[in-house]
Amino acid sequence: MPDILSFTVPENCAGIKAKWFLKDRGLSTRMITQLKREKDGILMNGKILRTIDKVEAGAVITVKLPTEEMHIEPVEGSLDIVFEDEHILVVNKPPFMPVHPVKQHQTDTLANIAAHYSRQKGEDYVFRALNRLDRDTSGLVLIAKERFTANKLKNAVHKEYYAVVHGTVPDDGTVDAPIGLTEESKMVRRVVSNGSPAVTHYRVIKRGDDYSLLSLWLETGKTHQIRCHMSYLGYPLLGDELYGGSRDKINRQALHCASMAFSHPVTGKKISISAPMPQDMQMLISNN
């Protein structure tokens, strides 16, 4: 994992205080305060830079990221890596794998395998998954290798999903309906008047006799949002018994995070990544 970030000061930033220059590049106030306490935490052209000092055009500002410790047990396993550099790791998670350790799954999670992989590479970073897919949902998971990257990419990643739902969805559309927990369950979400705002957009890709393949993207990222909203419309996901779907043809909810796009937190380069639909979902639409 990199422990140094470098920024070259453009002409239009000359004379700006270092604090505001760094905040404009995605460093939080908390992180800047922590860097002030680190030896050589903030330098300009190799010399100590105070946050009240003004930056100079063409100067190179270096930031020494604080060391963090990992507290997840490393477990050897296979990762389907779609993209990786010093700051980001994106993997295509298979279904039936939890992202984070929980009471029932302590060592068989994506976090455990990523911890082993990172240590093998000499990159002992804290596991930060910026999108938390359900255990049975497959697809892309974006992992930030340091807190700066996580902060910069928070709510800044456009993700699209594939879902196979029961019934023939007539048109593309949007669901704008608040969701929340009910008194009957601590897990199942429902559309409720006093719930949290939730907006889901969907587009019909293919229609069969008794199913539809949809592409979906979210304005809000609530737990079970796609599953809850499609059930609310009367089109639950195949395999999603929790929300009214049938497991006759697939033994998990037919949901896959298929693509994501974002601006790289350090270089600013536009990054677009995709992962093909898994075989169990492909069979649902090829056999109909």
Side-chain angles (χ1 to χ4, degrees):
M1 184 192 80
D3 57 7
I4 300 291
L5 292 176
S6 296
F7 306 100
T8 300
V9 181
E11 291 284 346
N12 64 344
C13 290
I16 293 177
K17 286 185 178 180
K19 175 182 178 179
W20 302 114
F21 177 81
L22 293 172
K23 283 181 68 69
D24 191 51
R25 271 136 193 87
L27 278 74
S28 65
T29 300
R30 181 180 178 183
M31 182 177 289
I32 293 170
T33 300
Q34 188 173 355
L35 289 169
K36 289 164 60 177
R37 303 190 187 106
E38 296 280 333
K39 185 178 184 300
D40 298 333
I42 308 172
L43 303 176
M44 182 167 67
N45 292 336
K47 297 181 180 180
I48 296 293
L49 179 67
R50 300 176 302 171
T51 55
I52 60 172
D53 293 337
K54 295 180 179 180
V55 300
E56 302 169 1
V60 176
I61 310 296
T62 55
V63 172
K64 184 178 180 181
L65 296 170
T67 301
E68 299 177 289
E69 295 183 3
M70 181 182 291
H71 301 289
I72 293 175
E73 181 181 347
V75 177
E76 187 172 2
S78 177
L79 288 180
D80 182 3
I81 298 173
V82 183
F83 176 88
E84 184 177 20
D85 66 8
E86 310 130 289
H87 307 279
I88 294 166
L89 174 66
V90 183
V91 301
N92 182 19
K93 185 186 82 68
F96 312 115
M97 177 187 285
V99 172
H100 293 90
V102 292
K103 185 176 181 180
Q104 302 90 338
H105 299 275
Q106 290 291 318
T107 60
D108 58 346
T109 74
L110 179 61
N112 298 115
I113 299 173
H116 182 272
Y117 172 76
S118 68
R119 288 189 178 182
Q120 290 294 103
K121 292 190 66 182
E123 298 180 342
D124 196 6
Y125 50 83
V126 172
F127 180 82
R128 290 187 176 90
L130 301 190
N131 59 314
R132 303 187 178 191
L133 300 184
D134 293 334
R135 172 184 175 273
D136 291 354
T137 299
S138 59
L140 297 173
V141 177
L142 173 59
I143 300 159
K145 294 187 178 182
E146 69 269 324
R147 189 164 59 232
F148 165 79
T149 299
N151 290 342
K152 197 74 181 290
L153 289 177
K154 186 178 181 180
N155 301 321
V157 180
H158 176 77
K159 301 177 290 291
E160 294 199 21
Y161 299 79
Y162 288 141
V164 184
V165 302
H166 287 282
T168 303
V169 180
D171 299 297
D172 303 346
T174 294
V175 187
D176 185 350
I179 61 177
L181 290 170
T182 63
E183 294 181 359
E184 294 78 25
S185 174
K186 294 182 178 181
M187 180 183 298
V188 181
R189 270 66 180 174
R190 296 284 185 244
V191 170
V192 290
S193 59
N194 62 343
S196 300
V199 180
T200 303
H201 304 281
Y202 61 90
R203 177 173 58 88
V204 181
I205 299 176
K206 182 180 179 181
R207 297 181 181 90
D209 292 337
D210 57 359
Y211 78 92
S212 299
L213 172 63
L214 306 180
S215 170
L216 309 100
W217 58 103
L218 311 177
E219 286 189 25
T220 53
K222 301 297 186 294
T223 301
H224 294 183
Q225 181 172 321
I226 289 174
R227 300 166 64 186
C228 175
H229 271 173
M230 297 318 298
S231 177
Y232 169 70
L233 289 185
Y235 305 107
L237 276 61
L238 269 69
D240 193 0
E241 289 184 328
L242 199 62
Y243 287 92
S246 168
R247 290 203 168 190
D248 289 346
K249 297 179 180 179
I250 187 172
N251 63 344
R252 67 168 180 111
Q253 65 259 16
L255 183 61
H256 176 70
C257 183
S259 67
M260 56 177 55
F262 53 90
S263 294
H264 194 282
V266 176
T267 67
K269 181 180 178 181
K270 298 294 184 183
I271 305 291
S272 296
I273 304 167
S274 62
M277 190 185 305
Q279 186 175 10
D280 59 353
M281 288 180 61
Q282 290 187 33
M283 290 179 64
L284 290 175
I285 60 178
S286 63
N287 293 338
N288 286 271

